[in-house]
Amino acid sequence: MTAVNQHFLELQGSYLFSEIAKRRTKYMEQNPNADVISLGIGDVTRGLPPAVIEAMHKAVDEMVNVGTFKGYGPEQGYTFLTDAIIAGDYRTRGIELGNDEVFVSDGSKCDVGNIQEIFSTSSVVAVQDPVYPVYVDTNVMAGRAGSFNSELGRYEKIVYLDCSAENQFKPSLPTEKVDLIYLCYPNNPTGMTLTKDELKVWVDYAIENDCIILFDSAYEAFITEENVPHSIYEIEGARQVAIEFRSFSKTAGFTGIRCAYTVVPKELKGKDANGNQVSINELWNRRHTTKFNGVSYVTQKGAAAIYSPEGRAQIQELVQYYMTNAAMIRDGLREIGLTVFGGVNAPYIWLKTPEGFNSWSFFDHLLSEANIVGTPGVGFGQCGEGYFRLTAFGSRENTERAIERIKKLSI
Amino acid sequence: MTAVNQHFLELQGSYLFSEIAKRRTKYMEQNPNADVISLGIGDVTRGLPPAVIEAMHKAVDEMVNVGTFKGYGPEQGYTFLTDAIIAGDYRTRGIELGNDEVFVSDGSKCDVGNIQEIFSTSSVVAVQDPVYPVYVDTNVMAGRAGSFNSELGRYEKIVYLDCSAENQFKPSLPTEKVDLIYLCYPNNPTGMTLTKDELKVWVDYAIENDCIILFDSAYEAFITEENVPHSIYEIEGARQVAIEFRSFSKTAGFTGIRCAYTVVPKELKGKDANGNQVSINELWNRRHTTKFNGVSYVTQKGAAAIYSPEGRAQIQELVQYYMTNAAMIRDGLREIGLTVFGGVNAPYIWLKTPEGFNSWSFFDHLLSEANIVGTPGVGFGQCGEGYFRLTAFGSRENTERAIERIKKLSI
């Protein structure tokens, strides 16, 4: 019998969302008439911007006739899209990128999952805790995580960077040698950010300590405060130490349409077994062109449309809609005396569970007393225990109703 | 500096298509008025079937409004599509599959590239020669190929299954122990097929020798002969030893739209380090859900439309168009005395280069004497030397003109 990748067997069950579904189903069976509102999942709910819809219809029509039909495109994305990305997302912030530094893909989940392939399996990986599980799980699969210590709830070889209310969810620098550091800002799940000065500390650290930052900025469109960097390349020196991941999923409602991109600057180098420099951009290009065949032309046309003046205005409206929800949730939770984080530069609100509640008992309490489903913080890591995530992606009406219910909650 | 995946450095340059482009560009510079026809790349050229266009427009419109908007879908694909696949591609041939045995993806290149991840890096891999390069390159990246022997033009740890005119491009069974066998039928690049009895020999071998067949049937829609299996699961016992890859790329013109699927039967087992059985279906499901976020809803609706009565008729017409080209190319080449393979159950025509020509010198001859670009067989492996690939994916007009020119060729 063919031997399997033994590292897969170290993966822990994807417990979080199945456990949420189980508890919700059980509650609904016992209370069939309950009007449950979900502020749990990080998925958008509003329609696509009209400019995107129009562009996609046009692109579909181009596929009808021989003269305008598009077959295989460049694996890295059409230049009409990479040009628009560079001009719209980077040049406006004083950052210059080459077309061959931007790789269009079908989702940031894929990119943040695949990026580790181009590095040695002996690389030491650091992640924030709490954390988006894909960073950890994909390194488990590759054998960088070692065994799972079920007492600690952690993998033995992963370096966890603890985040809590005490440090405002801004972790300390690693105290041991690491090679790859996953940073996500604005953060999922905490909704917190770093200022430019704070992010500079990480860039400087990476330069001094020869490590690479894998910077996930999937939520940058939700930033409202001046001093919060949208791109890590706003920080001097970042081009030599950072890869940046961006997504159209939340920015423009593309969770069901699938488009994202990854920036890998030419200055970024790794080393081979003999200590010689290797271009990370070239390695990623080889990976991307060998194992991926480009994003749908129709999707890429839709994505490019968000950079038109109409598209820009429409996605700003979309972001504003969700951020108004976020402010309502923040304010409502504070009114009843809860300690709340996030929701200012991110669509996630992260709350400290009231005294006497851990993440899961607060989940049960919120479900049974207010018929609201959220996400227990401990599902994102050990440091998430005692916290709880709500999302701003619901409808206005549901968000208003949820807040009314929360205000009546006994805590 | 962070250490890179050293195995990437064993990859050979993607020499083939860049060298073709280089020679073509040089010729065009010297002969700026030359009317060059490409029968080189394996990409479709006709428009999408009307049923697909209609379904995609409808799906785009569903994305406008909150009530019909689709966010994240199941990573494995919507059941409207997996149901259609099972009913349309399998039940009609007497094969039953569960919805959880079919994984929809954004392309067979991704799937055949990613599948190796779930197996041990010490697995021994066998490939046909000539071969689709992705099978080899993705195993090089994972460290299963060892070093490249430039004298032999082969990786030291890969088991190559030689295919030539002498064995009608049907390789002998491996003589050493292998774990994973990539088989592609109808074959790219040779266009040749196996009969049911011939494929049964491979299934029986895999059962007896505890190995897994990775069966790429991306071109099954082009099969015209009765006795050629469309699916490996037509062969008894295949469910316990085979994974099957299928694509909408060539069948329905989806190269620019991106949709494919992979079948992983529940009976298929591997073993862990202790010799215990592990479900390959569960491993692939874990890989697929961790590193992939589903195919665009719009694309999936388009793919499902090819299973409607109108869709079926339209893709048959599309396939017929290309296969008429294939027959023309075959007949034309034979008329001038060339030995020709393929083109009956596949859109590829594989010809033995005339005496005195190797693959590249025939490329140059064809380009300069007939202004036709094809693909040198040696680009697909050592056993491809002395062969040449032409594709049936051009327009009728270009194919006719190309054949007229070839008939006048001095060989």
Side-chain angles (χ1 to χ4, degrees):
Chain A
M1 208 169 278
T2 300
V4 302
N5 178 343
Q6 187 72 15
H7 305 305
F8 268 64
L9 309 179
E10 290 293 343
L11 287 164
Q12 302 306 298
S14 45
Y15 168 78
L16 179 62
F17 289 98
S18 62
E19 182 64 23
I20 290 174
K22 209 171 93 185
R23 292 192 190 206
R24 179 183 175 150
T25 303
K26 191 178 164 198
Y27 181 79
M28 291 298 292
E29 278 167 11
Q30 290 166 349
N31 304 274
N33 298 320
D35 174 22
V36 172
I37 297 173
S38 175
L39 298 181
I41 51 163
D43 193 5
V44 295
T45 54
R46 314 302 298 165
L48 285 180
V52 172
I53 295 287
E54 193 190 331
M56 290 181 72
H57 275 308
K58 272 191 195 163
V60 170
D61 282 332
E62 284 185 61
M63 303 302 274
V64 175
N65 296 314
V66 172
T68 53
F69 176 81
K70 300 285 181 302
Y72 290 125
E75 290 98 339
Q76 303 92 335
Y78 282 98
T79 51
F80 69 73
L81 180 54
T82 52
D83 283 346
I85 288 168
I86 292 168
D89 291 345
Y90 290 95
R91 196 165 297 138
T92 49
R93 299 189 186 282
I95 301 160
E96 273 306 323
L97 292 174
N99 265 106
D100 50 0
E101 296 179 310
V102 178
F103 298 83
V104 175
S105 83
D106 67 326
S108 270
K109 182 178 172 184
C110 312
D111 289 343
V112 300
N114 293 330
I115 195 75
Q116 46 76 32
E117 278 182 39
I118 63 172
F119 299 104
S120 164
T121 51
S122 61
S123 307
V124 178
V125 170
V127 298
Q128 295 171 274
D129 181 357
V131 68
Y132 176 51
V134 172
Y135 310 152
V136 175
D137 288 352
T138 55
N139 278 294
V140 173
M141 291 171 171
R144 289 187 199 86
S147 298
F148 188 73
N149 182 325
S150 50
E151 249 173 75
L152 298 179
R154 290 180 159 186
Y155 288 94
E156 58 178 7
K157 288 190 188 168
I158 297 273
V159 174
Y160 293 87
L161 307 170
D162 291 355
C163 299
S164 65
E166 287 65 45
N167 62 15
Q168 289 286 302
F169 303 95
K170 297 167 184 182
S172 303
L173 295 166
T175 52
E176 49 203 300
K177 169 66 187 154
V178 302
D179 300 300
L180 299 168
I181 305 172
Y182 290 80
L183 287 182
C184 175
Y185 285 108
N187 188 261
N188 173 22
T190 69
M192 298 297 275
T193 51
L194 297 183
T195 63
K196 284 185 190 175
D197 287 345
E198 288 165 344
L199 186 53
K200 185 171 186 314
V201 172
W202 286 89
V203 170
D204 290 345
Y205 174 85
I207 294 171
E208 278 156 35
N209 293 276
D210 271 342
C211 42
I212 290 176
I213 297 174
L214 304 169
F215 192 73
D216 186 348
S217 62
Y219 299 95
E220 66 80 28
F222 297 89
I223 293 172
T224 58
E225 292 182 319
E226 262 302 299
N227 199 27
V228 176
H230 288 247
S231 164
I232 195 166
Y233 305 117
E234 293 179 46
I235 312 300
E236 201 189 326
R239 287 181 58 96
Q240 54 182 110
V241 289
I243 294 173
E244 180 160 285
F245 305 93
R246 291 270 186 104
S247 174
F248 297 101
S249 282
K250 312 298 163 77
T251 313
F254 269 49
T255 54
I257 294 292
R258 315 302 314 137
C259 199
Y261 65 87
T262 290
V263 178
V264 189
K266 293 280 184 75
E267 290 90 328
L268 192 60
K269 306 286 179 189
K271 65 169 185 212
D272 70 12
N274 298 319
N276 300 315
Q277 284 198 357
V278 180
S279 162
I280 299 297
N281 177 284
E282 281 172 28
L283 284 192
W284 182 245
N285 186 57
R286 189 64 199 249
R287 195 271 165 211
H288 201 69
T289 54
T290 302
K291 296 194 183 180
F292 183 66
N293 231 338
V295 174
S296 164
Y297 174 74
V298 175
T299 300
Q300 290 192 62
K301 276 288 179 184
I306 74 162
Y307 294 99
S308 67
E310 305 74 38
R312 281 210 167 277
Q314 289 160 9
I315 63 165
Q316 268 162 20
E317 206 177 304
L318 206 57
V319 164
Q320 191 52 53
Y321 181 94
Y322 293 130
M323 290 310 283
T324 302
N325 287 352
M328 284 172 46
I329 298 171
R330 261 175 78 87
D331 295 347
L333 296 171
R334 287 202 166 151
E335 258 183 60
I336 58 165
L338 288 173
T339 306
V340 182
F341 303 92
V344 174
N345 297 300
Y348 295 120
I349 293 91
W350 184 251
L351 62 97
K352 201 159 171 36
T353 53
E355 197 154 332
F357 289 100
N358 66 19
S359 290
W360 278 110
S361 65
F362 188 68
F363 174 91
D364 291 333
H365 187 67
L366 203 60
L367 176 57
S368 61
E369 301 303 310
N371 290 353
I372 294 169
V373 171
T375 310
V378 71
F380 298 98
Q382 290 307 302
C383 292
E385 179 58 281
Y387 296 94
F388 199 80
R389 191 188 79 172
L390 294 174
T391 86
F393 289 125
S395 68
R396 179 65 40 79
E397 191 201 347
N398 276 349
T399 306
E400 281 169 354
R401 289 166 61 224
I403 292 303
E404 285 313 309
R405 292 182 193 176
I406 285 174
K407 284 184 185 168
K408 293 180 194 145
L409 205 61
S410 58
I411 51 168
Chain B
M1 210 168 275
T2 300
V4 303
N5 178 342
Q6 187 72 15
H7 305 305
F8 268 64
L9 309 180
E10 290 292 343
L11 286 165
Q12 302 306 299
S14 44
Y15 169 77
L16 178 62
F17 288 98
S18 62
E19 181 64 23
I20 290 174
K22 209 171 92 185
R23 294 191 189 208
R24 180 184 173 149
T25 303
K26 191 178 164 198
Y27 182 78
M28 291 299 291
E29 278 166 11
Q30 291 165 350
N31 304 275
N33 297 321
D35 173 22
V36 173
I37 297 173
S38 175
L39 298 181
I41 51 162
D43 194 4
V44 296
T45 52
R46 313 303 298 166
L48 285 180
V52 171
I53 295 287
E54 191 189 333
M56 289 180 72
H57 275 308
K58 273 192 195 164
V60 170
D61 282 332
E62 284 185 63
M63 302 303 271
V64 175
N65 297 312
V66 174
T68 52
F69 176 81
K70 299 286 183 300
Y72 291 124
E75 290 97 340
Q76 303 92 337
Y78 283 97
T79 51
F80 69 72
L81 180 53
T82 52
D83 282 347
I85 288 167
I86 293 168
D89 290 344
Y90 290 95
R91 196 165 297 138
T92 48
R93 300 189 184 279
I95 300 160
E96 272 306 323
L97 292 175
N99 265 105
D100 50 0
E101 295 178 311
V102 178
F103 297 84
V104 175
S105 84
D106 67 326
S108 269
K109 181 178 173 186
C110 312
D111 289 343
V112 300
N114 293 329
I115 195 74
Q116 45 78 29
E117 279 182 39
I118 63 172
F119 298 104
S120 166
T121 50
S122 61
S123 306
V124 178
V125 169
V127 298
Q128 296 171 273
D129 182 356
V131 68
Y132 176 49
V134 172
Y135 310 153
V136 175
D137 288 351
T138 55
N139 279 294
V140 173
M141 290 171 173
R144 289 187 199 86
S147 298
F148 187 74
N149 182 324
S150 50
E151 248 173 75
L152 297 178
R154 290 181 159 187
Y155 288 95
E156 57 178 5
K157 288 189 186 169
I158 298 271
V159 173
Y160 293 87
L161 306 169
D162 292 353
C163 298
S164 65
E166 286 64 45
N167 62 15
Q168 289 284 302
F169 304 95
K170 298 169 182 179
S172 304
L173 295 166
T175 51
E176 48 204 300
K177 168 64 187 155
V178 302
D179 299 300
L180 299 169
I181 305 172
Y182 290 80
L183 287 181
C184 175
Y185 284 109
N187 188 263
N188 174 20
T190 69
M192 297 297 275
T193 52
L194 297 183
T195 64
K196 285 185 191 177
D197 287 346
E198 287 164 344
L199 185 54
K200 187 174 186 308
V201 172
W202 285 90
V203 170
D204 290 346
Y205 175 85
I207 294 171
E208 278 156 34
N209 294 275
D210 270 341
C211 41
I212 290 176
I213 297 174
L214 303 170
F215 192 74
D216 186 346
S217 63
Y219 299 95
E220 67 80 29
F222 297 88
I223 293 171
T224 58
E225 292 182 319
E226 262 303 299
N227 198 28
V228 176
H230 288 248
S231 165
I232 195 167
Y233 305 118
E234 293 178 45
I235 312 300
E236 201 189 326
R239 287 182 57 96
Q240 53 183 109
V241 291
I243 292 173
E244 180 160 286
F245 304 93
R246 291 271 186 104
S247 174
F248 296 100
S249 282
K250 311 298 161 80
T251 312
F254 269 49
T255 52
I257 294 292
R258 316 302 314 138
C259 200
Y261 64 88
T262 291
V263 178
V264 189
K266 293 280 185 76
E267 289 90 328
L268 191 61
K269 306 287 180 190
K271 64 170 183 212
D272 70 11
N274 299 318
N276 300 314
Q277 282 197 359
V278 179
S279 162
I280 298 297
N281 177 284
E282 281 173 28
L283 284 193
W284 182 245
N285 187 57
R286 188 64 198 251
R287 196 270 165 212
H288 201 68
T289 54
T290 301
K291 296 194 184 179
F292 183 65
N293 232 340
V295 174
S296 163
Y297 174 74
V298 175
T299 300
Q300 290 192 60
K301 275 289 178 182
I306 74 163
Y307 296 98
S308 66
E310 304 74 38
R312 281 208 167 280
Q314 290 160 8
I315 62 166
Q316 268 163 20
E317 208 177 301
L318 206 57
V319 165
Q320 191 53 52
Y321 180 94
Y322 293 130
M323 291 310 284
T324 302
N325 286 352
M328 283 172 45
I329 298 172
R330 262 174 78 87
D331 294 348
L333 295 170
R334 287 204 166 147
E335 259 182 59
I336 58 165
L338 287 173
T339 306
V340 182
F341 304 91
V344 174
N345 298 299
Y348 295 119
I349 293 91
W350 185 249
L351 62 97
K352 202 161 172 31
T353 54
E355 198 154 332
F357 289 99
N358 66 16
S359 290
W360 277 112
S361 64
F362 188 68
F363 174 91
D364 291 333
H365 187 68
L366 204 58
L367 177 57
S368 61
E369 301 303 309
N371 290 353
I372 294 169
V373 171
T375 310
V378 71
F380 298 100
Q382 290 307 304
C383 292
E385 180 56 282
Y387 296 93
F388 199 81
R389 191 188 79 173
L390 294 173
T391 85
F393 289 126
S395 68
R396 178 65 38 80
E397 192 201 347
N398 275 350
T399 307
E400 281 169 353
R401 289 166 60 225
I403 292 304
E404 285 314 308
R405 293 182 192 175
I406 285 174
K407 283 184 186 167
K408 293 177 194 145
L409 206 60
S410 58
I411 52 169

